[in-house]
Amino acid sequence: MPHAVAVTVNGTSYPREIEPTLLLVEYLRETLGLTGTHVGCDTSQCGACTVLVDGRATKACTMLAVQADGAEVITIEGLAKNGDMHPIQRAFAKEHALQCGFCTPGLMITAVDFLERNPSPSDAEIRHAIKGNLCRCTGYHNIVNAIRSASAEMRQSAGARPKVAAEVKR
Amino acid sequence: MTASTTPTYIGARVARKEDPRLITGEGTFTDDVTLPGMAYLTLVRSPHAHARIRRIDTTAAKKEPGVVAVFTGKDLEATGMLPVFITVPSMSGSKHMPIATDKARYAGDAVAAVVADSREAAKRAADLIAVDYEPLPIVVDAMKALEPGAPIVHEELGSNLVFTYPVKGGDIDKAFKDAEVKISQRIVNQRLIPNAIEPRAVTAKFEAGELTLWSTTQIPHFVQLIAALNLGLGQNKVRVIAPEVGGGFGSKLQVYAEELLVGFLAKTLGRPVKWTEERREGYLATIHGRDHVSDVELAAKRDGTILGLRVRTVANVGAYLQAFAPGIPTILHVFIVPGAYRIPAFDYEMRGAYTNTTPVDAYRGAGRPEAAYLIERMVDRLADEIRMDPAEVRRKNFIAADAFPFNTISGITYDSGNYEPALDRALAMADYKGFEKRRAEAKTRGNYRGIGISSYVEICGLAPSKVNAALGVGWGGYESARIRVHATGSVQVFTGTSPHGQGHETSWAQIAADALGISPNDIEVRHGDTFESPGMGVGTFGSRSLAVGGVAVHKAAEKVREKVVQIGAHLLEASPADVVVAGGKVFVKGVPEKAKNFGDISMAAYLANNLPEGMEPGLEATVYYDPPNFTFPFGTHIAEVEIDGETGTVQIVKYSACDDCGRQINPMIVEGQLHGGITQGIGQALYEGAVYDSDGQLLSGSMMEYHVPTAEDVPPFDLDSTETLTNTNPLGVKGIGEAGTIGSTPAAVNAVIDALSPLGIKHLDMPLTPEKLWRAIRASGEGRR
């Protein structure tokens, strides 16, 4: 029996009739066609499907789309604003923190949530924060560098750019 | 061309051209391709590791709403067999159908297929298919599979022996007769699951007699070739596209059942079809890697000189031979086992065995990590036995720098090498001299600290074609490139390589930019579409792309540059010898102010009304490059570990490596390849292992039971390099895609064993999990009870 839900994704509300068994990640990828969020496993280990739900990094394979009714979701497609990349995006490219790019959207979303809560992390804190996101290409070395580099830029430009997570209710 | 006026992009840390689309979510992976009217394929897989299929009842499944069609193996025999591209002597090949027809030979073997309007409907219907299985005796262990009376995986072959592959050199009997030290060790290289983070997927449509197939593959041209042959289509009517591919590591170096099935079904049903692997399904149905058991004997003198090496290995190939499987434990393993050392006598017998397990094929390094692990563990065993510094045992046996090209005792020729500087640099980076103080300090905290060295050599390139043929490789080892300069001066490079994270769009642009005297920003590199490629591409695997495909790009760019010079000389009324191509300009040496733009030259090539006498219009070149030899990168990796005395947990406290892959095109990408490779190698050493029970059930059946390293499991990496060019190709390049995986596993294991050597521990099999180490420490009489 389809349910009527309205999820706000990247600032736009999408009223849809969906099956109650539909996962949030399926809703994003298949119902809305936002394929930047990826599915890498079926046990919530890999984190490729991570999106912000009401400001918190959430594995979109662990949540039903109906549970997101009324929530505000930000996906990788919503990270840049008017063509202006988020510091984490620039840092990932600058530090060569991606190779195949499949895990990258989930990692960047996790990093955004983390850095908005912990603006000056140690490397150990960064490694702990991303341990729920698996990357098989980079060995994490450059990802840690990128998150550290983005944290510096975000601290410098604090105030100039609204927090992604703060744009939605916490 | 004067070097001083030409910016050299080769060697520069050029930012990747791939990244903008990948960091914004705009990249298109195979599962992102959705077509109107698309149907979804789900496969029913055998829960039994070995069972005869008595009967399959599809009645209920066919009645399920949304179901388009249900097939058993017999209905799909028209897809033909899955290919094996390598034939080694004495090989006993298996019949391998996309869907099993007579019996299931491993848990996960597909037995039926459902196509429906949605994934959910297909899965619901798949659950309604009733298969009547007759369970058969199961063999999981490769050693046991070769014993008399073992259950036979393929009855028609008479035994589970796939091949016996002997390689000998020197007088092995004399070596052991002369030996002052003999060391015997069983070395297990456990089975691994590749775990590319993107699961496999295939999407296809058939329109106007043409099949378009998107696939997560490293080898789109082979998929095109086999799909055309097996499905009875002209090769010109099969377009295979490898879009963004989310990691491969060898696991996408196949022509898989699902590729042929989806192509066949799209053609037969007349509507687009998609199949996407679920991770747990992938653990069963995507190839595994490694799985060797070796009995090794080393003969040496007390001064550390190695005299001989005798090895008897059984490689578990799983239930069927996959595309490259026969070549992994043989060609890519046995020949490189002597590694960096001058070994006077060598006697290796490799046997392959069928078992009721998921097929085993290439996983990052593919045969070479097994080789490096074997020899590097034995060198450390020798060092321990004669109480000599492992670094010095290596140094003593290294092939000397002036001995290259070097003919190894296994019968291959190393192109170039200089092993001591890489060792020395790594020792310095690791503060090897100061280590014992750190060991003693750790001991005061109840912990065990160790340091481990690995000096590896690897084979890459996988060419020339004639040598490949002599070894049994059923296809050439060349690579193709086409460079097209449009009238306006925009440049496209089409490559036969098929990157999936390696950054060829950037590196190939750097190579072409230097030849054409323009910026990499003005060069677009296109790959992974068989209808855009130069014609045939071999693909991306075996660390071959740069040494073969990158060189093809270089050669094609040189051809284009030559024509640019000729046209420039004609327009500038100068001798071609005096023409400079640099900075986007073409000018006579010493007269840069009277330059033609690169675009003026390309426009002239297409206007074609003022070209040198007899010159063809147009400005493009196609090259198929077949190298004269393999290339042999090398390096030394050093891991320092600390083991918690109470829990057995290993922490890698420092990791240093000095690698030599010849000339580096983009050091940023080289380092990235090493970081990822090292992490995978550490994964094998400490965390990863596919575990079957005796019924052939994969106990490590998901990411919950199989530990892919996380960011907290690996350290930052301290990397440096030396540069020893190869004369195998004009760029002097080798390969770096697998070196990290090859070098790191023995370094990490040697470090752990070194840490525990004061307890009398000589060897432990991987993965070196906390439980295993805790038990070993307790068994030694140390540790708290």
Side-chain angles (χ1 to χ4, degrees):
Chain A
M1 175 78 98
H3 281 50
V5 299
V7 186
T8 300
V9 182
N10 302 328
T12 305
S13 176
Y14 294 93
R16 291 286 190 280
E17 298 265 315
I18 58 168
E19 291 294 329
T21 53
L22 192 72
L23 298 173
L24 177 59
V25 68
E26 295 169 333
Y27 171 80
L28 294 170
R29 286 181 55 79
E30 291 167 23
T31 308
L32 303 186
L34 293 169
T35 55
T37 302
H38 300 143
V39 179
C41 73
D42 37 29
T43 50
S44 306
Q45 252 72 37
C46 82
C49 65
T50 307
V51 297
L52 291 173
V53 178
D54 287 338
R56 275 299 159 107
T58 304
K59 291 181 178 177
C61 72
T62 61
M63 188 170 171
L64 295 167
V66 291
Q67 291 176 288
D69 188 18
E72 299 204 28
V73 173
I74 290 176
T75 70
I76 185 65
E77 289 92 343
L79 213 48
K81 293 281 176 246
N82 306 317
D84 177 21
M85 295 238 199
H86 189 279
I88 197 73
Q89 291 173 299
R90 285 197 295 274
F92 263 61
K94 186 174 108 237
E95 299 290 343
H96 185 33
L98 64 149
Q99 291 180 26
C100 80
F102 192 80
C103 71
T104 310
L107 266 154
M108 290 195 299
I109 294 282
T110 298
V112 166
D113 177 22
F114 169 62
L115 290 178
E116 291 187 354
R117 285 183 287 116
N118 184 350
S120 304
S122 67
D123 282 7
E125 287 171 330
I126 293 172
R127 285 181 182 271
H128 184 73
I130 61 171
K131 72 176 290 188
N133 291 76
L134 297 178
C135 171
R136 196 61 156 165
C137 293
T138 65
Y140 307 103
H141 183 105
N142 288 344
I143 292 176
V144 174
N145 288 348
I147 295 173
R148 193 192 317 112
S149 159
S151 76
E153 191 184 333
M154 287 166 72
R155 283 196 306 274
Q156 273 177 9
S157 64
R161 183 188 176 93
K163 286 184 174 184
V164 175
E167 286 171 16
V168 295
K169 61 190 182 226
R170 293 297 290 259
Chain B
M1 188 165 88
T2 52
S4 58
T5 57
T6 309
T8 304
Y9 293 103
I10 288 178
R13 294 175 174 268
V14 173
R16 291 209 324 168
K17 295 162 82 76
E18 290 86 346
D19 291 350
R21 62 178 188 268
L22 292 171
I23 57 175
T24 51
E26 285 168 9
T28 300
F29 292 84
T30 298
D31 187 53
D32 301 342
V33 177
T34 297
L35 303 167
M38 197 155 79
Y40 296 82
L41 169 68
T42 287
L43 295 170
V44 178
R45 299 188 182 276
S46 171
H48 300 282
H50 200 192
R52 200 165 306 287
I53 302 164
R54 283 204 195 106
R55 191 168 156 274
I56 301 179
D57 185 352
T58 59
T59 319
K62 282 178 176 162
K63 288 182 187 155
E64 179 67 20
V67 167
V68 176
V70 181
F71 301 94
T72 63
K74 291 215 165 46
D75 307 324
L76 294 170
E77 284 186 321
T79 55
M81 269 176 37
L82 296 173
V84 179
F85 295 122
I86 297 178
T87 308
V88 295
S90 84
M91 187 174 109
S92 183
S94 59
K95 182 182 176 190
H96 190 185
M97 300 303 292
I99 306 272
T101 52
D102 52 347
K103 62 178 191 174
R105 292 178 176 80
Y106 68 96
D109 210 354
V111 297
V114 181
V115 182
D117 291 332
S118 67
R119 282 187 226 267
E120 297 69 33
K123 284 170 83 166
R124 277 198 304 270
D127 287 343
L128 297 173
I129 292 177
V131 186
D132 182 6
Y133 292 104
E134 175 194 342
L136 299 169
I138 291 159
V139 64
V140 171
D141 180 282
M143 291 279 200
K144 286 185 184 152
L146 296 182
E147 288 172 3
I152 304 289
V153 180
H154 299 273
E155 283 94 349
E156 68 278 15
L157 302 179
S159 90
N160 294 319
L161 181 65
V162 188
F163 52 75
T164 301
Y165 197 84
V167 174
K168 290 181 187 182
D171 187 342
I172 195 72
D173 292 332
K174 183 174 185 304
F176 277 91
K177 206 170 82 202
D178 294 347
E180 295 164 1
V181 185
K182 295 176 196 173
I183 297 164
S184 300
Q185 181 65 57
R186 171 164 286 198
I187 289 183
V188 178
N189 204 289
Q190 83 273 30
R191 179 182 285 238
L192 301 178
I193 298 179
N195 278 299
I197 304 297
E198 179 201 29
R200 286 192 297 124
V202 193
T203 301
K205 65 172 183 178
F206 190 74
E207 281 174 7
E210 191 172 296
L211 178 69
T212 306
L213 192 141
W214 290 261
S215 183
T216 54
T217 183
Q218 301 171 228
I219 46 169
H221 291 86
F222 282 107
V223 176
Q224 177 202 29
L225 180 74
I226 300 301
L229 291 172
N230 283 23
L231 304 182
L233 291 163
Q235 206 176 335
N236 59 320
K237 292 295 177 192
V238 180
R239 177 181 192 176
V240 174
I241 300 170
E244 305 294 349
V245 175
F249 317 113
S251 71
K252 294 168 181 172
L253 171 60
Q254 291 293 329
V255 179
Y256 275 109
E258 294 83 1
E259 289 166 319
L260 293 178
L261 289 170
V262 167
F264 175 83
L265 293 168
K267 175 169 170 268
T268 307
L269 301 172
R271 60 189 281 191
V273 176
K274 183 193 280 192
W275 171 81
T276 306
E277 178 184 86
E278 295 183 12
R279 178 61 62 179
R280 274 175 286 204
E281 179 182 24
Y283 268 42
L284 299 172
T286 293
I287 60 103
H288 294 174
R290 317 272 193 267
D291 208 342
H292 289 192
V293 177
S294 300
D295 287 313
V296 189
E297 294 169 274
L298 182 110
K301 293 203 281 191
R302 283 253 154 235
D303 68 357
T305 307
I306 300 173
L307 298 176
L309 189 69
R310 188 189 282 133
V311 189
R312 298 290 178 268
T313 298
V314 177
N316 190 338
V317 305
Y320 300 96
L321 282 182
Q322 292 281 160
F324 293 86
I328 308 300
T330 55
I331 302 163
L332 288 171
H333 170 73
V334 175
F335 294 110
I336 199 73
V337 165
Y341 311 109
R342 184 186 288 274
I343 297 181
F346 181 67
D347 174 11
Y348 199 129
E349 186 187 83
M350 167 63 79
R351 291 185 297 162
Y354 290 113
T355 61
N356 296 117
T357 61
T358 293
V360 176
D361 201 308
Y363 170 58
R364 200 170 193 172
R368 291 149 288 166
E370 296 91 317
Y373 181 67
L374 188 158
I375 189 69
E376 290 304 289
R377 278 299 300 132
M378 291 308 287
V379 168
D380 261 36
R381 286 281 280 107
L382 172 62
D384 179 63
E385 193 71 27
I386 61 175
R387 299 278 158 207
M388 191 168 159
D389 181 343
E392 295 316 306
V393 177
R394 286 174 171 80
R395 196 187 302 281
K396 188 169 193 75
N397 289 285
F398 271 164
I399 298 161
D402 61 3
F404 294 91
F406 179 80
N407 297 319
T408 69
I409 194 68
S410 56
I412 56 175
T413 305
Y414 290 175
D415 53 349
S416 64
N418 189 6
Y419 303 150
E420 280 204 67
L423 172 67
D424 288 333
R425 180 75 193 110
L427 292 172
M429 291 160 75
D431 183 23
Y432 189 72
K433 281 185 189 151
F435 171 72
E436 288 304 330
K437 205 184 268 182
R438 301 195 289 278
R439 189 200 300 268
E441 188 277 328
K443 191 146 193 290
T444 65
R445 289 180 282 111
N447 291 347
Y448 305 100
R449 200 155 171 129
I451 195 161
I453 304 174
S454 153
S455 295
Y456 71 92
V457 178
E458 79 133 317
I459 317 176
C460 54
L462 305 192
S465 300
K466 278 187 181 166
V467 172
N468 281 5
L471 291 169
V473 181
W475 198 263
Y478 54 83
E479 195 49 271
S480 61
R482 171 180 296 156
I483 296 192
R484 176 174 296 156
V485 184
H486 296 272
T488 55
S490 62
V491 178
Q492 284 178 311
V493 174
F494 301 92
T495 175
T497 65
S498 201
H500 36 284
Q502 296 87 345
H504 296 177
E505 291 173 40
T506 309
S507 303
W508 287 193
Q510 291 174 251
I511 291 170
D514 270 2
L516 300 176
I518 58 177
S519 162
N521 294 334
D522 297 327
I523 299 172
E524 177 193 31
V525 177
R526 300 180 70 95
H527 56 79
D529 181 339
T530 60
F531 274 14
E532 281 196 350
S533 76
M536 181 69 201
V538 174
T540 289
F541 54 90
S543 304
R544 68 184 300 279
S545 290
L546 175 58
V548 193
V551 175
V553 169
H554 170 74
K555 288 189 164 264
E558 288 287 316
K559 278 192 177 182
V560 169
R561 190 176 79 94
E562 182 52 32
K563 195 163 179 180
V564 168
V565 167
Q566 294 292 336
I567 297 170
H570 179 73
L571 297 180
L572 295 163
E573 299 178 345
S575 160
D578 295 330
V579 171
V580 178
V581 181
K585 307 275 187 193
V586 178
F587 55 93
V588 178
K589 197 183 293 176
V591 202
E593 61 278 9
K594 284 192 183 167
K596 295 280 182 191
N597 287 319
F598 185 77
D600 298 335
I601 304 293
S602 56
M603 189 57 80
Y606 289 95
L607 285 173
N609 53 18
N610 185 17
L611 292 175
E613 192 61 35
M615 179 181 276
E616 264 183 37
L619 192 54
E620 68 172 80
T622 301
V623 163
Y624 279 74
Y625 170 67
D626 198 357
N629 191 7
F630 304 97
T631 70
F632 297 87
F634 60 90
T636 290
H637 287 220
I638 300 180
E640 184 167 336
V641 302
E642 189 161 321
I643 303 166
D644 187 305
E646 288 192 16
T647 65
T649 306
V650 180
Q651 194 194 358
I652 298 182
V653 289
K654 184 160 170 57
Y655 197 97
S656 318
C658 182
D659 295 276
D660 192 322
C661 60
R663 175 163 291 130
Q664 300 187 10
I665 303 300
N666 187 327
M668 176 187 83
I669 289 177
V670 168
E671 288 162 13
Q673 288 296 309
L674 283 164
H675 295 154
I678 292 167
T679 300
Q680 285 180 351
I682 290 173
Q684 170 162 28
L686 302 183
Y687 308 115
E688 300 182 36
V691 179
Y692 280 96
D693 70 8
S694 58
D695 289 331
Q697 297 299 319
L698 183 64
L699 300 180
S700 55
S702 80
M703 282 180 167
M704 288 191 288
E705 299 89 16
Y706 185 99
H707 188 74
V708 174
T710 72
E712 281 198 310
D713 298 323
V714 288
F717 306 110
D718 188 9
L719 303 183
D720 201 353
S721 60
T722 55
E723 183 183 271
T724 307
L725 301 182
T726 177
N727 57 12
T728 299
N729 60 65
L731 290 176
V733 295
K734 294 187 172 181
I736 199 64
E738 296 162 299
T741 321
I742 296 165
S744 60
T745 306
V749 173
N750 284 344
V752 170
I753 303 300
D754 177 59
L756 299 180
S757 66
L759 310 186
I761 290 167
K762 307 263 180 217
H763 182 79
L764 292 168
D765 285 323
M766 303 181 289
L768 300 173
T769 57
E771 181 193 344
K772 192 175 286 176
L773 298 186
W774 182 80
R775 286 181 188 282
I777 292 165
R778 276 174 61 103
S780 76
E782 293 240 357
R784 295 184 193 169
R785 304 259 164 186

